[in-house]
DNA sequence: CTGAAAGCGCTAACAC
DNA sequence: GTGTTAGCGCTTTCAG
């Protein structure tokens, strides 16, 4: 089947290609019978407009680039789902890019995005530096970043204030006398952990204390579990342990169980990024419902606004909230 | 910053646009000093070739469409990772499409893929019907499907033989006298469950018996857990329970624990799609390591072969193998 | 309301 | 080696 073009349709319908163009773009000015004639020809030939050619002519690809970290948690998946759902509404296509650990990696991706002439880009990545974004802004590509509060002329952001989240939680803990709070490192999400530390620091400072419960996982340990197993034996005692991801919380839970530490009686456990696995653990792990899907959806919606000249973008910095879900691992 | 084109570079370097085109495409015939001159101009102007225009001229977008189900498990993420890694090697971009439950959904996506002139498409989806694929083949778009054994002129496939997997496992169980095998339904993956049932049927048939352990989750139950909780009370007894996903296995484990059924003593539990969560459960759940990453990687590699005229595609149907990982939930 | 023609940015013969 | 030119398929003034 020969690639059939707008010319073929024009000939078949005995009109000019301009007219065909008008009907596929839903122009109002076409007479009803010619529209029907053209429509028929389109159907008959199985014609599908070439988006590439349209892109060239319109200087607009109706495609946005999405950059996410390679490590794929359920969380990331949800962000993508939200993103895609609203992208569909606005007829945008998604070009997916993933970042690996590599150093120059991000630059390659940016180069790629520019070449492919994406109309805009949404970036969700823990490790993100301003320099790289500048590349994009230099080429005037509108950007929305998810997870980091950061914006200027061409970049907007959608995020959850983790520092505030953990700050509030810690304040409550301290008030209740649970002062020995531990935060477990997550090597894969350094920026996130940094925010959590900030919140904790602030909470302790306001009580005239300093936060010293950050537990680093030495590089030689493959998993939190392996390290914690050792760690606990050294009698390090805490009132509450905070982890970022569900798998870390489960590791803590397993270690506690094996070492005869009762959760929540001897130790309370809370996981920042809640998940269905938290609810499946026994005892069930308390966590914060982070609006993952919404992060994606709102980010995409914001981007569409930035992409449409006549839509006023009043706020380029959007903070989303969280909901604490107490379960059985906390009192 | 004005969109700068090949003409601008040509003018800056004082050569024709053909020459510029040659250097960006690494043509050998350009003299070294002119190449340098052009390169310099490119750098100076910050020129990035317009992939859209290239696509139009070459009738090739260097983009493949990837279709995955919206529900995102870790498993899907891994497939995508594998896919992307090899796509990067061959310089292909990925256009991501997700399928929701909706009926006409798939047709919209296909329409979209055709319009965007993707060079090829990789489809990973449990619910997949031949009809829809025909749309694509009609427009001669090479396809690789992941998960289903299926191929013809323009479609290749990469899959794991789940029927065989479960057949072998069941044979072993029956041999050991564990004949009361149960398989739990997974509404989200009907085709997968169908394969598993086939394997089970075959194993029982070969022993002159019939498999009757398929446990359907009635629609009114929101989760397997809720239903199983009831189910177990009715004294339904099995020797081994097989689930497809980790969360289902965990549900079974929780119910068993709560009902005083000892795993693996009273009941053995095995999960087809292994995951890190299986290893984090207590007792740890046995499972099959399915080569998720490889499914994606091999699929993409196969597609690149199909996309290159001079590469001989000897086998369009590639079966990948699995590895049984016995843990604590089986004896 | 419809057609003619220029142009979007780049590639690939074909000349020179 | 390098330049000229004709498309690739579509949109969009501008005429009529």
């Amino acid at each position: 089947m020969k690639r059939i073009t707008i010319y073929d349709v024009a000939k078949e319908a005995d009109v000019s290609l301009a007219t065909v163009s008008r009907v596929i773009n839903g122009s109002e000015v076409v007479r009803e019978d010619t529209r029907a004639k053209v429509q028929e020809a389109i159907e008959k030939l199985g014609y599908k407009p070439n988006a590439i050619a349209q892109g060239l002519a319109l200087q607009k690809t109706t495609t946005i680039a999405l950059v996410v970290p390679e490590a794929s948690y359920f969380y990331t998946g949800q962000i993508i789902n939200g993103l895609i759902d609203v992208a569909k509404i606005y007829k945008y296509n998604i070009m997916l890019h993933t970042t690996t650990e590599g150093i120059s990696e991000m630059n390659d991706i940016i180069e790629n995005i520019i070449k492919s002439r994406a109309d805009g880009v949404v970036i969700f990545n823990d490790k993100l530096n301003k320099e790289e974004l500048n590349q994009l802004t230099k080429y005037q590509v509108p950007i929305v970043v998810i997870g980091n509060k950061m914006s200027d002329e061409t970049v907007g952001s959608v995020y959850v204030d983790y520092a505030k989240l953990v700050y509030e939680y810690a304040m409550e803990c301290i008030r209740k006398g649970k002062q020995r709070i531990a935060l477990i490192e997550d090597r894969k999400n350094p920026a996130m952990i940094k925010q959590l530390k900030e919140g904790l620091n602030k909470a302790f400072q306001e009580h005239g204390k300093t936060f010293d419960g950050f537990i680093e996982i030495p590089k030689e340990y493959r998993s939190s579990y392996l390290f914690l197993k050792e760690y606990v034996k050294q009698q390090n005692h805490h009132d509450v342990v905070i982890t970022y991801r569900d798998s870390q919380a489960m590791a803590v839970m397993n270690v506690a169980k094996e070492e005869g530490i009762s959760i929540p009686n001897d130790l309370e456990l809370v996981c920042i990024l809640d998940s269905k696995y938290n609810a499946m653990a026994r005892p069930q792990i308390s966590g914060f419902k982070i609006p993952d899907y919404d992060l994606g959806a709102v980010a995409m919606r914001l981007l569409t606004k930035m992409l449409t000249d006549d839509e006023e973008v009043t706020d380029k910095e959007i903070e989303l909230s969280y909901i604490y879900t107490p379960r059985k691992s906390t009192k």
Side-chain angles (χ1 to χ4, degrees), chain A:
Chain A
M1 182 173 168
K2 168 184 169 296
R3 290 285 199 207
I4 101 106
T5 76
I6 198 168
Y7 286 95
D8 303 312
V9 177
K11 195 180 301 167
E12 177 73 29
D14 199 33
V15 296
S16 79
L17 73 168
T19 302
V20 178
S21 174
R22 289 192 185 97
V23 350
I24 60 183
N25 291 302
S27 167
E28 291 303 314
V29 298
V30 186
R31 216 195 309 144
E32 190 46 41
D33 58 327
T34 62
R35 170 192 304 289
K37 206 168 51 174
V38 172
Q39 205 57 261
E40 202 175 313
I42 288 178
E43 232 91 289
K44 178 176 172 194
L45 301 177
Y47 168 71
K48 308 278 181 197
N50 182 330
I52 300 302
Q54 290 180 314
L56 224 211
L58 291 175
Q59 308 266 64
K60 178 175 187 325
T61 55
T62 329
T63 293
I64 70 111
L66 170 61
V67 184
V68 299
E70 181 177 45
S72 56
Y73 308 120
F74 187 79
Y75 180 62
T76 313
Q78 283 301 98
I79 289 181
I80 296 179
N81 286 161
L83 192 305
I84 289 187
D85 281 354
V86 356
K88 270 182 189 156
I89 297 173
Y90 294 91
K91 312 283 188 200
Y92 277 96
N93 277 127
I94 310 291
M95 202 79 112
L96 182 67
H97 301 270
T98 58
T99 53
T100 11
E101 298 297 309
I103 173 74
S104 64
E105 180 73 10
M106 191 62 179
N107 282 320
D108 287 351
I109 292 180
I110 289 176
E111 173 105 4
N112 221 280
I113 292 176
I114 295 171
K115 285 185 183 164
S116 66
R117 299 296 192 267
D119 293 336
V121 16
V122 173
I123 302 183
F124 168 56
N125 200 305
D126 193 75
K127 301 136 187 154
L128 188 61
N129 79 222
K130 203 82 181 166
E131 300 275 313
E132 298 164 329
L133 287 194
N134 281 156
Q135 262 290 299
L136 249 12
T137 53
K138 215 170 67 191
Y139 285 86
Q140 13 208 36
V141 186
I143 306 170
V144 170
V145 337
I146 294 178
N148 292 66
K149 180 172 178 171
M150 141 193 321
S151 58
D152 61 24
E153 199 49 46
T154 49
V155 2
S157 54
V158 181
Y159 61 94
V160 167
D161 189 340
Y162 287 97
K164 190 173 74 185
L165 178 159
V166 78
Y167 162 78
E168 287 171 351
Y169 186 72
M171 286 300 272
E172 184 66 12
C173 283
I174 297 174
R175 198 185 59 70
K176 289 184 183 163
K178 295 177 282 190
Q179 314 214 143
R180 294 169 306 175
I181 299 176
L183 169 67
I184 298 190
E185 179 183 22
D186 182 350
R187 284 194 220 112
K188 295 207 175 153
N189 301 75
M192 210 87 301
I193 293 296
K194 188 167 159 250
Q195 285 188 53
L196 298 178
K197 270 160 80 174
E198 279 169 20
L200 255 9
N201 280 145
K202 187 171 168 220
F204 276 84
Q205 246 168 251
E206 291 191 6
H207 282 85
K209 307 174 194 299
T210 55
F211 170 63
D212 62 351
F214 185 58
I215 302 180
E216 284 179 78
I217 313 289
K219 296 237 189 306
E220 58 269 33
Y221 288 88
R222 256 186 35 256
S223 72
S224 316
Y225 174 77
L226 264 17
F227 170 69
L228 292 171
K229 194 84 179 165
E230 295 300 313
Y231 180 82
V232 168
K233 290 216 173 80
Q234 298 167 218
Q235 305 289 31
N236 292 286
H237 220 359
H238 302 282
D239 297 316
V240 7
V241 171
I242 298 172
T243 70
Y244 180 59
R245 280 176 297 128
D246 59 1
S247 57
Q248 297 174 120
M250 291 175 82
V252 171
M253 176 152 291
N254 284 334
V255 169
K257 217 173 281 178
E258 288 152 17
E259 298 299 322
I261 298 170
S262 160
I263 289 180
N265 296 324
D266 304 337
L267 178 67
E268 295 191 35
L269 174 62
V270 59
C271 174
I272 303 294
L273 223 51
D274 195 20
S275 82
K276 65 175 177 180
Y277 293 100
N278 278 160
M280 284 188 276
R282 292 293 182 273
Q284 297 187 114
I285 300 166
S286 302
F288 289 85
K289 166 73 191 136
I290 305 294
D292 38 26
Y293 179 92
D294 295 344
L295 280 169
V298 172
M300 187 64 213
R301 180 65 189 107
L302 175 57
L303 188 58
T304 61
K305 277 188 186 162
M306 293 166 62
L307 258 26
T308 327
D309 305 318
D310 45 284
E311 266 195 275
E312 195 57 50
V313 184
T314 53
D315 194 3
K316 281 204 172 116
E317 233 167 61
I318 305 176
E319 181 177 333
L320 264 36
S321 57
Y322 43 82
I323 299 169
Y324 178 53
T325 307
R327 282 195 273 256
K328 307 297 186 186
S329 69
T330 49
K331 283 189 287 202

